[in-house]
Amino acid sequence: MTRYDADIMNTQFNLPGILKPEPGAGNLTRITVTGPHANATIYRHGAHVALFQPHGERPVLFMSQQSQYANGKPIRGGVPVIFPWFGPHPTDATAPAHGTARLTDWNLIATAQRTDGVVELVFALPPFLQYRVAIGRQLELTLEVHNTSQSPLQFEEALHTYFAVSEIRQCTVTGLENARYDSKVEGVTGQSQGTAPIQFTAETDRLYLNTRATCVIHDPGWQRRIVVEKDGSDSTVVWNPWIAKAKAMPDFGDAEWPAMLCIETVNARGNAVTLAPGQTHALRATIRVEPA
Ligand code: TA6
């Protein structure tokens, strides 16, 4: 734990009875929120939301029991913040997948409770990033990129959200009807989703481009729907690793794949963002649970 961590433990960031920074897994600093609407946990490492649980609901986010909690390593599950590239680096094979933002500690710069009870935290990762986490009955995540440089800034970005589901093979996803996707698994591009909801019968790894649609995960096993609204995002990724890919990930349990589904709020490939000097871009995901 660094001096900075020790400092934020005892500063104005504490909201007595509501929000408390404390040592978490791997001795990484974890901010625990016990709000009037929901409980949540956010790590400084990657500004990583690891728990979101509205009162009376099951946890909304999936976390792997095998996740690592270490500097320089991604946390597996929750909401990894992806920046400034999505997937493998376009030219440098030695660079970490999904960029660097999720591998490093962010600064907690503000905490507050709104009059409606929503608890807000703001994290910063200089020189470009600010991230607001608002915890109410719904979870609102806003990633702001500020081009503080003197030249254009081009980047990809994502809120790579892992959702907890009862059994992936019973779940469907609506909202992406007629959208077009590139599939890593089938190696196709520009494939139309058609009018049917997405069903899951094998590894699924699809980048839907040019879509601002709200997605809904229908989970009959837990009799709930998870609604994922978005702003400032033109791409959506749908991912479940299935059996072989699950086995191949050291920080993901072999038997965990039926319990999760990623619906990711993205700007990638043809939807990458370019900011002029001084410009700002906001990417937002708003997540809520409804009865099925
Ligand atoms: O968003 C889907 C994806 O790009 C998959 O291809 C898979 O690689 C997943 O992200 C997880 O990537 P990670 O680097 O976190 O193991």
Side-chain angles (χ1 to χ4, degrees):
M1 186 180 309
T2 65
R3 170 154 181 67
Y4 175 90
D5 289 303
D7 287 349
I8 70 168
M9 295 294 182
N10 307 299
T11 70
Q12 78 282 10
F13 292 129
N14 278 22
L15 302 175
I18 297 287
L19 179 147
K20 181 172 179 14
E22 60 189 9
N27 208 29
L28 297 179
T29 296
R30 172 176 68 196
I31 295 118
T32 300
V33 175
T34 50
H37 303 295
N39 292 339
T41 303
I42 308 97
Y43 281 85
R44 270 193 67 211
H45 183 68
H48 197 114
V49 178
L51 172 80
F52 171 62
Q53 185 169 12
H55 297 316
E57 282 294 341
R58 299 170 191 271
V60 178
L61 305 177
F62 165 87
M63 282 298 298
S64 172
Q65 296 303 309
Q66 312 295 324
S67 178
Q68 301 179 82
Y69 293 87
N71 286 325
K73 299 286 186 190
I75 293 173
R76 177 70 67 188
V79 187
V81 177
I82 308 297
F83 180 89
W85 63 84
F86 186 87
H89 187 280
T91 57
D92 177 359
T94 66
H98 285 324
T100 51
R102 65 175 180 169
L103 303 177
T104 189
D105 284 355
W106 291 50
N107 298 329
L108 177 64
I109 60 171
T111 60
Q113 185 172 23
R114 298 193 323 222
T115 52
D116 61 1
V118 171
V119 179
E120 289 193 346
L121 302 89
V122 183
F123 294 86
L125 184 65
F128 301 130
L129 299 180
Q130 200 156 59
Y131 185 45
R132 178 181 301 274
V133 178
I135 297 142
R137 276 309 290 177
Q138 62 187 19
L139 176 65
E140 188 178 279
L141 305 170
T142 307
L143 179 65
E144 285 190 354
V145 183
H146 308 267
N147 184 2
T148 55
S149 75
Q150 301 305 314
S151 46
L153 178 68
Q154 182 172 44
F155 57 90
E156 296 177 315
E157 59 183 346
L159 299 172
H160 190 299
T161 312
Y162 288 69
F163 292 99
V165 298
S166 61
E167 168 45 79
I168 187 65
R169 288 163 287 199
Q170 293 179 17
C171 292
T172 56
V173 170
T174 56
L176 291 167
E177 289 76 17
N178 300 313
R180 290 193 175 275
Y181 64 87
D182 298 350
S183 168
K184 268 193 196 173
V185 177
E186 292 97 358
V188 295
T189 58
Q191 192 84 3
S192 171
Q193 173 57 34
T195 56
I198 303 170
Q199 295 182 308
F200 300 91
T201 58
E203 180 187 353
T204 305
D205 194 344
R206 299 177 181 175
L207 169 62
Y208 290 81
L209 290 164
N210 306 316
T211 172
R212 298 182 175 178
T214 293
C215 290
V216 180
I217 301 171
H218 300 265
D219 184 347
W222 284 345
Q223 297 180 314
R224 74 179 187 181
R225 282 194 301 263
I226 300 176
V227 181
V228 187
E229 291 180 359
K230 64 175 191 172
D231 294 291
S233 159
D234 286 330
S235 323
T236 297
V237 169
V238 177
W239 178 57
N240 182 285
W242 220 254
I243 300 164
K245 197 53 81 59
K247 284 199 174 98
M249 293 190 284
D251 59 347
F252 189 95
D254 293 358
E256 290 186 319
W257 59 272
M260 57 72 66
L261 173 61
C262 283
I263 300 290
E264 303 163 34
T265 305
V266 184
N267 284 308
R269 309 295 180 273
N271 295 140
V273 179
T274 300
L275 286 181
Q279 271 191 329
T280 293
H281 177 275
L283 170 74
R284 175 173 296 120
T286 305
I287 294 160
R288 68 176 186 274
V289 179
E290 296 176 345

